[in-house]
Amino acid sequence: MNYNNKNIILVGMMATGKSTVGALLAEELGYELVDLDHVIIQNQGRSIAELFAEGGEAYFRKIESAVLKEMLEGEGRIISTGGGAVLAPGNAEMMLQRGLVVALTATEEEILARVSGDLNRPLLAGNAQKRVRTILEQRRDAYRFAHCTVDTTKLSAAEVSQHILTHYRG
């Protein structure tokens, strides 16, 4: 399939490399980089943690879905989603229709190593190891809808980017 000028949508668990790989892809293709969480923060004037605290996860997911829909209306974008963007009904189908959806994965150990010391992740409040394991279990099948999957555990961001570009340019 030719995705020429279509969006590339990166989905996956937190700390799988979506933001880093997204930046490389945007640079390589000359596309606009859209970090969904950053757009939400800009639009709402509050952090993700504040939005969670204010209205809970359901409140945040509603905002996230609306911003995702708006960002998918353009073309030539690399859209780096938050790890839970796939959870709201209809989001997966919307992403599949608007570009190449790539799921990035990593082992539990790798995710923990990457998030250690990051205080800006509201879903990891408390015991990070237990929370990562729980979220991985809950979302085990949540990313299966993607057109392709890349395990980022033993790859550099540049290698992940090249895998995606090969698929994208097909």
Side-chain angles (χ1 to χ4, degrees):
M1 180 170 184
N2 185 346
Y3 295 100
N4 195 24
N5 214 38
K6 291 281 189 190
N7 300 310
I8 296 177
I9 303 108
L10 302 176
V11 299
M13 182 72 176
M14 69 183 79
T16 54
K18 297 181 301 287
S19 297
T20 305
V21 170
L24 290 175
L25 290 169
E27 186 177 326
E28 172 75 23
L29 294 168
Y31 285 8
E32 176 188 4
L33 175 62
V34 175
D35 183 309
L36 208 58
D37 283 351
H38 291 169
V39 175
I40 292 166
I41 291 165
Q42 194 172 25
N43 288 356
Q44 298 295 312
R46 295 186 295 295
S47 72
I48 302 297
E50 288 170 327
L51 291 169
F52 264 79
E54 188 177 300
E57 187 171 358
Y59 171 73
F60 173 75
R61 296 292 172 215
K62 186 176 174 189
I63 293 167
E64 182 179 53
S65 294
V67 173
L68 176 64
K69 183 178 191 303
E70 183 183 330
M71 293 299 106
L72 286 170
E73 288 171 2
E75 283 194 342
R77 289 180 171 155
I78 306 298
I79 302 172
S80 173
T81 67
V86 300
L87 302 176
N91 282 0
E93 190 57 41
M94 190 168 48
M95 289 185 238
L96 287 169
Q97 291 172 3
R98 299 299 301 162
L100 173 67
V101 181
V102 180
L104 299 184
T105 64
T107 64
E108 177 183 334
E109 295 74 24
E110 184 66 19
I111 289 169
L112 282 166
R114 292 177 185 176
V115 299
S116 66
D118 186 344
L119 303 175
N120 293 316
R121 297 185 185 272
L123 289 178
L124 292 186
N127 181 334
Q129 183 172 6
K130 184 177 179 205
R131 293 294 300 139
V132 165
R133 185 171 293 135
T134 301
I135 294 167
L136 279 170
E137 185 59 33
Q138 289 170 343
R139 298 181 186 170
R140 186 180 47 214
D141 298 324
Y143 307 111
R144 288 191 187 209
F145 73 95
H147 293 108
C148 66
T149 300
V150 180
D151 184 343
T152 67
T153 302
K154 295 189 184 325
L155 300 176
S156 70
E159 290 169 322
V160 174
S161 177
Q162 286 310 306
H163 279 290
I164 295 168
L165 288 170
T166 299
H167 197 89
Y168 183 69
R169 291 173 172 150

